[in-house]
Amino acid sequence: MINKLVEKIRKTNAPIVVGLDPMLKYVPEHIQKKAYGEFGETLEGAGEAIWQYNKEIVDHIYDLVPAVKPQIAMYEQFGIPGLMAFKKTIDYCKEKDLVVIGDIKRGDIGSTSEAYAVGHLGKVQVGSKSYYGFDEDFATVNPYLGSDNVKPFMKVCKEENKGLFILVKTSNPSSGEIQDRLVRTGTKAGSLASEGGISFGERPLYELVGEQVAQWGAEHMGREYSYIGAVVGATYPEMGKILRSIMPKAYILVPGYGAQGGKGADLVHFFNEDGLGAIVNSSRGIIAAYQQEKYASFGAGDFGGASRAAVLDMKADIQAALNAR
Amino acid sequence: MINKLVEKIRKTNAPIVVGLDPMLKYVPEHIQKKAYGEFGETLEGAGEAIWQYNKEIVDHIYDLVPAVKPQIAMYEQFGIPGLMAFKKTIDYCKEKDLVVIGDIKRGDIGSTSEAYAVGHLGKVQVGSKSYYGFDEDFATVNPYLGSDNVKPFMKVCKEENKGLFILVKTSNPSSGEIQDRLVRTGTKAGSLASEGGISFGERPLYELVGEQVAQWGAEHMGREYSYIGAVVGATYPEMGKILRSIMPKAYILVPGYGAQGGKGADLVHFFNEDGLGAIVNSSRGIIAAYQQEKYASFGAGDFGGASRAAVLDMKADIQAALNAR
């Protein structure tokens, strides 16, 4: 799947993933009205509204970008009907040949992690038959529980030709509280650090997690890049530069562009010399573009057109930054 | 809700939470057969089987224990039908007046975390109406993204009179890879450590997370205990002892007893002198008790009876350990 992602990035010339993180306040009134007319102001109505909203956005952007990233929390908040909209969205995006990155950030102990891996990337056995539960192409995972969490995901990825993005340095303001902690290296304290390459000293935790990702990545290579990637926020470009060099073969999923404050010029550090190696997420900036002054002329009636224009602008912004380096 | 949990622990004299983590290999053949007869060997069939299995266990144990802890991964692996069984299980347990701890281990950035908090503990707004999505009483959360993740959960808990258990030191073998890292304290590196109480030096990360939990806990107190609790694995009793003293007012949810290797004698360190402050989870050891030699005489036909016997034995084991200290 990492090979498909790289090919599609080359073909579209857009290292962009559109975050399908629908909040009801983004969904135009005419769509909400229609959905509530059919299902009432219920969880089912909300599910229908976000599904119709997603569908129209996808119809307007699927030829421009390689991938989408639905954030499961935005669906899970509406309970079962919300998760049905999540599943419908995944299936529809795959019909449109988009690579689907499930932003699920799951993390648990071995056997439990296996259940998440099976449910989101693999097949679960029921009697003599087996079924895909949600069937994303990639998933994001949380490393706080250590390799016990990640290994079952890697196993399923190998079997199913899928991939992961492991949280290394997240885009949010408080990400440093744990991730930036200076930790002692080269001790017996854990196996995260590869024994060979590290001198005794102090380094931020995210670098050690990055090294572990690089090591796992080397064991799970696609053609040019590994199918074990990393999440590093656009809001921390200097750290991105260091992590880029620590994980040369990892695809970096970069959230935080646009609404969270990351700019095109900040992004260059996340890319390799080949112009590959990073895929930048924008959610609100694209899916709710029609609510920005810049795209207001599209109106709520053509919110899909506004999203398309925002993708084209983002593509130009990133290309200009890459050309200028 | 923490007050209700403490009251129920006093009344049942059982600081025990039953982990409702159904795997199909635990579900007796007659239940699977019946479910597949009705729905086929499908995800719906699997959902029905685990729901019927849970129901029979709950019917046999609800008067003995204060709480249950469904692990959402075990349901999520079966996609939507699995999550419908999760929801049914929560609703049924609440009917039986059990406190429900949703073991969801979610963790994300601010606005996304808010969606999880709303979906699992609070109400989501749809037009002029609002709805509970899953409606657990407590949820487990992952601290890797820092306070941005935890704060929206705390806000919803305050509004809804609910609670959290924050992962501090998990029970799995690889938990030390990140959680045991020796980190520098007393520096500007982050706000996890309270500035006052800590001298400059090195301490394991889990201690600093424990201190943060204690600080949040002090701001969110129930009658005797805080509604911001912690997860600390039974498999690390020495660390449990230290964390107990760092977080005197936090309820500690203790996984890892039984099947994962934790013993009754290991548990005493997690309790306060008042005999309160900890609630010990057992999943497989109770829900699949009939598969153990010790309870084999119950047979698959009376798997609920085996679970009841296993709860009584666990209660005696913990009480003996507490009395012996």
Side-chain angles (χ1 to χ4, degrees):
Chain A
M1 194 52 69
I2 186 65
N3 297 336
K4 179 175 177 181
L5 181 63
V6 173
E7 269 163 40
K8 282 189 73 92
I9 289 173
R10 277 213 175 90
K11 203 175 130 199
T12 57
N13 203 21
I16 292 175
V17 52
V18 174
L20 296 174
D21 308 355
M23 295 176 86
L24 282 178
K25 65 184 179 190
Y26 303 157
V27 180
E29 217 179 302
H30 68 278
I31 291 195
Q32 290 195 50
K33 219 167 166 178
K34 184 153 184 275
Y36 300 155
E38 204 169 337
F39 296 95
E41 285 182 344
T42 59
L43 295 176
E44 288 73 18
E48 173 68 9
I50 60 178
W51 152 241
Q52 292 297 342
Y53 172 66
N54 282 346
K55 185 173 176 300
E56 192 154 336
I57 290 168
V58 170
D59 285 342
H60 280 81
I61 55 104
Y62 76 91
D63 58 320
L64 296 180
V65 296
V68 291
K69 180 175 76 62
Q71 165 54 262
I72 196 170
M74 296 304 170
Y75 304 82
E76 209 165 307
Q77 68 180 326
F78 299 110
I80 302 291
L83 287 159
M84 290 170 81
F86 178 72
K87 177 64 181 142
K88 264 188 189 168
T89 300
I90 292 169
D91 292 346
Y92 188 70
C93 292
K94 291 176 80 163
E95 259 177 51
K96 294 284 182 187
D97 202 36
L98 287 160
V99 173
V100 178
I101 301 169
D103 198 353
I104 61 172
K105 295 191 179 68
R106 300 302 193 241
D108 216 299
I109 68 169
S111 55
T112 308
S113 179
E114 199 180 318
Y116 279 131
V118 154
H120 285 278
L121 300 172
K123 291 186 290 285
V124 69
Q125 198 71 31
V126 182
S128 60
K129 306 213 172 117
S130 62
Y131 298 91
Y132 288 99
F134 289 102
D135 202 16
E136 298 102 307
D137 296 317
F138 284 83
T140 56
V141 300
N142 183 312
Y144 189 66
L145 282 88
S147 50
D148 292 343
N149 176 45
V150 183
K151 280 179 183 164
F153 277 99
M154 293 197 287
K155 183 169 169 276
V156 170
C157 285
K158 195 164 207 167
E159 289 162 6
E160 297 281 340
N161 184 27
K162 296 196 167 178
L164 300 181
F165 292 101
I166 296 169
L167 306 187
V168 174
K169 172 68 189 171
T170 56
S171 61
N172 56 313
S174 78
S175 69
E177 289 176 6
I178 286 184
Q179 298 161 29
D180 294 1
R181 284 277 175 184
L182 290 174
V183 305
R184 200 207 287 178
T185 56
T187 70
K188 62 178 171 57
S191 60
L192 253 186
S194 69
E195 294 303 316
I198 301 177
S199 59
F200 190 92
E202 272 188 342
R203 296 172 71 195
L205 182 60
Y206 63 78
E207 286 190 22
L208 301 183
V209 178
E211 267 168 12
Q212 177 67 81
V213 168
Q215 190 181 312
W216 283 328
E219 294 158 14
H220 298 89
M221 281 296 294
R223 249 195 320 274
E224 301 158 84
Y225 282 90
S226 172
Y227 53 90
I228 308 300
V231 173
V232 185
T235 40
Y236 300 102
E238 287 308 312
M239 298 176 186
K241 202 171 178 175
I242 293 163
L243 287 165
R244 176 70 288 168
S245 71
I246 289 177
M247 314 176 292
K249 293 294 180 193
Y251 239 82
I252 302 181
L253 173 62
V254 188
Y257 173 86
Q260 283 184 56
K263 292 177 193 66
D266 295 335
L267 297 173
V268 295
H269 306 303
F270 296 86
F271 288 84
N272 278 321
E273 288 303 314
D274 58 5
L276 295 169
I279 183 160
V280 183
N281 181 75
S282 177
S283 303
R284 212 179 334 166
I286 290 174
I287 66 172
Y290 79 100
Q291 295 183 337
Q292 294 173 44
E293 216 183 299
K294 189 174 176 187
Y295 305 106
S297 63
F298 286 93
D302 190 19
F303 68 98
S307 294
R308 187 175 178 88
V311 167
L312 290 168
D313 287 345
M314 179 174 172
K315 185 175 163 182
D317 185 34
I318 294 175
Q319 287 309 331
L322 286 175
N323 292 339
R325 71 171 173 178
Chain B
M1 196 49 74
I2 186 66
N3 298 337
K4 178 174 176 180
L5 181 63
V6 173
E7 268 163 41
K8 282 188 71 93
I9 289 173
R10 276 213 175 92
K11 203 174 128 198
T12 57
N13 203 21
I16 293 174
V17 50
V18 175
L20 296 175
D21 308 355
M23 297 177 85
L24 283 178
K25 67 183 177 189
Y26 303 157
V27 179
E29 218 179 302
H30 68 277
I31 291 194
Q32 292 196 49
K33 219 167 165 178
K34 186 154 181 277
Y36 301 155
E38 204 170 337
F39 296 95
E41 285 182 344
T42 59
L43 295 176
E44 288 73 18
E48 172 69 9
I50 60 178
W51 152 241
Q52 292 296 345
Y53 172 64
N54 282 347
K55 186 173 175 298
E56 192 154 337
I57 290 168
V58 170
D59 285 341
H60 280 80
I61 56 108
Y62 75 92
D63 58 322
L64 296 180
V65 297
V68 291
K69 180 174 77 60
Q71 164 55 260
I72 196 171
M74 295 305 170
Y75 303 81
E76 208 165 309
Q77 68 180 326
F78 299 109
I80 303 291
L83 287 158
M84 290 170 79
F86 178 70
K87 177 65 182 138
K88 264 190 191 168
T89 299
I90 291 170
D91 291 346
Y92 189 69
C93 291
K94 290 176 79 162
E95 258 177 53
K96 293 285 181 184
D97 202 37
L98 286 159
V99 172
V100 177
I101 302 169
D103 198 353
I104 62 173
K105 295 190 179 66
R106 300 303 194 239
D108 215 299
I109 69 171
S111 55
T112 308
S113 179
E114 200 180 318
Y116 279 132
V118 154
H120 286 279
L121 300 173
K123 290 186 290 283
V124 69
Q125 197 70 29
V126 182
S128 60
K129 306 217 171 116
S130 64
Y131 298 92
Y132 288 100
F134 289 103
D135 201 16
E136 298 101 309
D137 297 316
F138 285 83
T140 55
V141 301
N142 184 312
Y144 189 66
L145 281 87
S147 51
D148 292 344
N149 176 45
V150 183
K151 280 178 183 164
F153 276 101
M154 292 196 290
K155 183 169 168 277
V156 170
C157 285
K158 195 164 205 164
E159 290 162 6
E160 297 281 341
N161 184 27
K162 296 196 168 180
L164 300 180
F165 292 100
I166 297 170
L167 305 187
V168 175
K169 172 66 189 173
T170 55
S171 61
N172 56 313
S174 78
S175 69
E177 289 175 9
I178 286 184
Q179 299 162 28
D180 295 1
R181 284 278 176 186
L182 289 173
V183 306
R184 200 207 290 176
T185 57
T187 72
K188 64 178 170 58
S191 61
L192 252 188
S194 69
E195 294 303 315
I198 300 178
S199 59
F200 189 91
E202 271 188 343
R203 294 172 70 195
L205 182 61
Y206 62 78
E207 286 190 21
L208 301 182
V209 178
E211 267 168 11
Q212 177 67 81
V213 169
Q215 191 181 311
W216 284 327
E219 296 158 14
H220 298 86
M221 280 297 294
R223 249 194 322 272
E224 302 158 86
Y225 282 90
S226 171
Y227 53 90
I228 308 301
V231 174
V232 184
T235 41
Y236 300 102
E238 287 307 314
M239 299 176 186
K241 202 171 176 174
I242 293 163
L243 288 164
R244 175 70 288 169
S245 69
I246 289 177
M247 314 177 292
K249 293 293 179 195
Y251 240 84
I252 302 180
L253 172 62
V254 188
Y257 173 85
Q260 283 185 56
K263 292 178 192 66
D266 294 335
L267 297 173
V268 295
H269 306 302
F270 297 86
F271 288 85
N272 279 321
E273 288 302 315
D274 58 5
L276 295 169
I279 183 161
V280 183
N281 180 75
S282 177
S283 303
R284 211 181 333 168
I286 290 173
I287 67 173
Y290 78 100
Q291 294 182 340
Q292 292 172 45
E293 217 184 298
K294 189 174 175 184
Y295 304 106
S297 63
F298 287 91
D302 189 19
F303 68 98
S307 294
R308 186 174 178 89
V311 167
L312 291 169
D313 287 345
M314 181 176 171
K315 185 176 162 182
D317 185 33
I318 294 175
Q319 287 309 333
L322 285 175
N323 291 338
R325 70 172 174 179

